[in-house]
Amino acid sequence: MTTALDLTAVKARQQVTWASGDYGAVATLIHPISELLVTEADLSAGARVLDVATGTGNAAIAAARCGCAVTGLDYVPELLERGHARASAERLPVTFVTGDAERLAYVDGAFDAVLSVVGVMFAPDQERAAAELVRVCRPGGTVALASWTPQGFIGELFRTVGRHVPPPAGLRPPVQWGDEDRVRELLGGAVGDLRAVRREFVFRFGTPEEFALFFRANYGPTLKAFEALPEERRPELHADLVELARTHNRATDGTVRIPAEYLEVVARRVAVPA
């Protein structure tokens, strides 16, 4: 008999995971992804923008620089506090709220644009999260997403960690949001004029060991994987992460440059039939 996956329990564990370590340190590195997505979304000053699973506010802050009225939403209060501090430091009027990507507390069509950068992809119920993204976007508005791809470096990172600490059985891999066919299926007929482009962000470290230590200390999923392992097995995961960095390294000067592929999607919310 197959036991149904308890998505509520999965989400509760995710909240603890993302509150651990220092995701803000990782978000600081990948901020350029958000800047580029906002540029491609071509937001107008004054537009009402929702950044779903905002984390420490990368996309929200990028949109606020365009003069938009921005709300950043996440289910981890610790990350929202960091985002609020960042926006305040730049004197950008971003509203940060606690909320669930699968149950957005807004009326239909409340926003001119809905964004998410490597955030909503981690929602356990992918179909429900996708439906919420398009529901709160007004007809003619923009849905813009950036998600790590299955075949890219972060996809391989998740598989490497999963060989040591398997994910819950039956849970769809988050990197499916980085597959164009899958994201078209998720957004469905609610959007049109969908443009999908594969891009690369380059992680830069001094050595492969530095990469492994950074992700172990700061990136919640990696940190929690180490904590879940018996002490004697942790060196094996560390060694695999070092080898992963070596395999993907494209630097020729003795440092580490790791291209990490992601899928950038910009689509328009279609008009609601009369």
Side-chain angles (χ1 to χ4, degrees):
M1 180 177 177
T2 302
T3 302
L5 182 63
D6 186 345
L7 296 181
T8 300
V10 169
K11 194 179 300 181
R13 289 195 296 271
Q14 286 181 333
Q15 287 177 287
V16 173
T17 295
W18 292 113
S20 67
D22 183 3
Y23 182 72
V26 180
T28 297
L29 295 184
I30 64 173
H31 188 84
I33 297 175
S34 294
E35 293 287 351
L36 182 56
L37 182 70
V38 166
T39 297
E40 292 300 316
D42 196 21
L43 304 176
S44 299
R48 302 162 300 164
V49 176
L50 177 65
D51 179 20
V52 179
T54 189
T56 57
N58 278 358
I61 288 170
R65 289 199 188 102
C66 297
C68 299
V70 185
T71 299
L73 176 144
D74 204 284
Y75 64 1
V76 182
E78 294 87 345
L79 299 182
L80 293 171
E81 290 174 9
R82 182 78 164 265
H84 178 73
R86 292 177 63 202
S88 296
E90 296 193 36
R91 299 184 180 180
L92 293 170
V94 179
T95 300
F96 288 95
V97 298
T98 303
D100 185 345
E102 297 174 4
R103 292 175 176 81
L104 298 175
Y106 302 102
V107 299
D108 297 1
F111 297 92
D112 299 302
V114 180
L115 318 175
S116 189
V117 175
V118 297
V120 75
M121 63 182 288
F122 292 98
D125 190 335
Q126 294 185 357
E127 283 77 12
R128 180 157 189 161
E132 284 292 271
L133 293 181
V134 297
R135 181 184 67 78
V136 300
C137 184
R138 67 166 175 81
T142 300
V143 176
L145 311 169
S147 309
W148 302 118
T149 65
Q151 65 272 21
F153 174 72
I154 298 299
E156 185 59 36
L157 171 68
F158 291 153
R159 286 189 291 275
T160 298
V161 172
R163 287 194 290 270
H164 293 265
V165 182
L171 187 66
R172 282 184 173 274
V175 290
Q176 287 189 354
W177 281 83
D179 178 85
E180 182 176 347
D181 289 340
R182 174 59 175 160
V183 81
R184 285 183 182 276
E185 177 185 7
L186 284 168
L187 298 177
V191 302
D193 188 28
L194 187 152
R195 294 178 286 111
V197 179
R198 289 187 182 184
R199 299 193 186 278
E200 285 185 346
F201 172 80
V202 180
F203 286 101
R204 301 171 191 270
F205 294 93
T207 65
E209 289 78 10
E210 182 183 321
F211 155 79
L213 290 172
F214 179 88
F215 268 76
R216 176 174 181 171
N218 297 302
Y219 194 52
T222 315
L223 183 153
K224 286 300 183 183
F226 274 100
E227 290 182 354
L229 289 171
E231 188 71 36
E232 64 274 11
R233 290 185 54 199
R234 294 176 186 177
E236 298 175 15
L237 176 54
H238 178 82
D240 281 354
L241 293 179
V242 171
E243 183 58 28
L244 179 68
R246 287 197 181 115
T247 300
H248 287 263
N249 185 19
R250 297 296 177 265
T252 58
D253 60 358
T255 65
V256 172
R257 294 182 192 141
I258 303 171
E261 185 182 68
Y262 67 94
L263 185 72
E264 178 187 271
V265 171
V266 178
R268 301 297 173 194
R269 176 73 161 94
V270 298
V272 179

